[in-house]
């Protein structure tokens, strides 16, 4: 993917595709060139587009875009952790309190733009 950013309200956004290019009930992975862990899942659920971090905080698997969608939530297909698409909040506190980051989505003339995530080195990669 050729990354070309545009600015809206002082933030960088990336045009990723037309809304109809994402099948309802499916997700796609967007990998940014800055870092392997800088990736998001763009998910179309009930004809709405959501953008969340693609790496599950449970075991750091980059599989949220392949998640199971139900009741406005996405469930990681590997270990079953479930997150709200709109807020990123973990919906089962028995699993822990870690959540997914969420990113703004804008639709302009049928094109989907997602907010560029900030590069953050994940805690599991930090060396003290």
């Amino acid at each position: 993917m050729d990354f070309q950013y545009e600015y809206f309200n002082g933030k960088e956004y990336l045009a990723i595709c037309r809304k109809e290019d994402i099948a309802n009930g499916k997700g796609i992975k967007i990998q940014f060139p800055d870092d392997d862990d800088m990736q998001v899942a763009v998910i179309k659920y009930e004809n709405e587009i959501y953008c969340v971090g693609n790496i599950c905080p449970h075991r750091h698997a980059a599989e949220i875009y392949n998640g199971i969608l139900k009741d406005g939530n996405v469930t990681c297909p590997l270990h079953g952790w479930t997150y709200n698409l709109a807020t990123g909040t973990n919906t089962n506190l028995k699993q822990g309190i870690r959540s997914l980051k969420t990113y703004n989505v804008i639709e302009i003339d049928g094109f989907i733009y997602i907010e560029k995530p900030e590069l953050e080195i994940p805690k599991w990669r930090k060396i003290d």
Side-chain angles (χ1 to χ4, degrees):
M1 171 180 270
D2 185 26
F3 288 80
Q4 295 182 351
Y5 297 100
E6 296 193 32
Y7 287 88
F8 302 105
N9 298 323
K11 294 183 180 180
E12 281 184 291
Y13 284 80
L14 172 66
I16 58 165
C17 63
R18 298 191 62 76
K19 186 174 184 178
E20 66 263 12
D21 293 340
I22 304 174
N24 199 41
K26 299 290 182 185
I28 60 173
K29 175 173 95 170
I30 304 295
Q31 172 73 54
F32 291 85
D34 306 56
D35 188 88
D36 286 344
D37 290 317
M38 193 171 168
Q39 52 184 280
V40 297
V42 180
I43 296 170
K44 189 180 204 179
Y45 177 72
E46 294 186 350
N47 213 33
E48 292 292 322
I49 302 292
Y50 299 91
C51 184
V52 296
N54 188 49
I55 299 174
C56 182
H58 170 234
R59 293 284 174 111
H60 320 298
E63 288 293 324
I64 296 298
Y65 78 103
N66 277 324
I68 301 153
L69 303 174
K70 183 178 178 186
D71 299 329
N73 299 314
V74 59
T75 300
C76 180
L78 298 181
H79 300 106
W81 282 43
T82 303
Y83 307 94
N84 181 276
L85 285 169
T87 66
T89 305
N90 184 329
T91 63
N92 182 351
L93 294 181
K94 291 180 183 177
Q95 296 172 333
I97 60 170
R98 292 176 284 177
S99 299
L100 296 175
K101 291 193 179 217
T102 59
Y103 301 93
N104 292 328
V105 176
I106 299 173
E107 182 180 350
I108 299 174
D109 296 328
F111 277 92
I112 300 299
Y113 292 80
I114 59 170
E115 177 184 3
K116 180 183 179 188
E118 295 287 325
L119 176 59
E120 294 179 22
I121 302 301
K123 289 180 183 178
W124 64 86
R125 285 184 26 203
K126 290 184 181 178
I127 299 172
D128 293 325

